[in-house]
């Protein structure tokens, strides 16, 4: 992968992370709560969101997101497609 492709992938991962954090915020979960739950400083979380000075989103952070909020790390890593909220609700109600 060349530098341009790598940069584009990093930007896309940051975009997906922003989408996830925005969705969590809509459900009343603050960035401060996420940083505590995921064992990451608020400053570093802010830098991850913007992609500033961060080459990769740490696996440990993604593992904590999955553990605490059931966020699939593969989605942020661009290894899977998004699933609609309606689809998720259908799984919840069918259980």
């Amino acid at each position: 992968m060349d530098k341009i492709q790598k940069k584009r992938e990093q930007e896309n991962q940051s975009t997906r992370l922003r989408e996830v954090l925005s969705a969590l915020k809509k459900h009343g979960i603050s960035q401060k709560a996420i940083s505590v739950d995921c064992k990451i400083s608020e400053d570093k979380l802010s830098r991850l969101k913007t992609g500033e000075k961060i080459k990769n989103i740490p696996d440990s952070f993604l593992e904590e997101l999955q553990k605490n909020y059931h966020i699939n790390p593969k989605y942020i890593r661009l290894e899977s497609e998004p699933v609609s909220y309606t689809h998720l609700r259908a799984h919840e109600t069918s259980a």
Side-chain angles (χ1 to χ4, degrees), residues 18-31:
R18 280 192 303 276
E19 291 169 359
V20 164
L21 296 175
S22 177
L24 291 172
K25 184 177 180 180
K26 287 179 184 176
H27 289 283
I29 302 167
S30 70
Q31 183 169 314

